[in-house]
Amino acid sequence: MSATEGIAARARLLGEAGYFDANSDEVIPSPCISVCRMSEDRSHCEGCFRTIPEIRAWAQADSAERLAIWARLAQRAGIAFPP
């Protein structure tokens, strides 16, 4: 499975579970797929497509910022968001 397929599958699974719904009270889960290594140019993680600042910010981010991070990483990965 490619990294893009991995993050797309995680986004699809979380989307189907309702985590990205505007009315959901659930905490938005991390996009981490346990493939933790930076791209050759160090612009983003090859597994979750987040940048280092996004990875650092995740734990303190509210739902709106987490959704924004998901949207940006989806754009980097070339996948639809929300799925």
Side-chain angles (χ1 to χ4, degrees), residues 7 31-33 35 44-51 55 73-74 76:
I7 195 64
C32 182
I33 61 169
V35 177
H44 63 276
C45 173
E46 291 182 346
C48 68
F49 289 85
R50 289 181 292 175
T51 63
I55 292 167
L73 74 86
R76 271 181 226 115

Side-chain angles (χ1 to χ4, degrees), residues 8-29 70 81-83:
R10 178 138 176 89
R12 192 170 38 258
L13 178 73
L14 295 175
E16 289 170 358
Y19 285 101
F20 303 134
D21 292 345
N23 297 325
S24 177
D25 291 333
E26 297 292 329
V27 174
I28 299 168
W70 264 102
F81 187 82

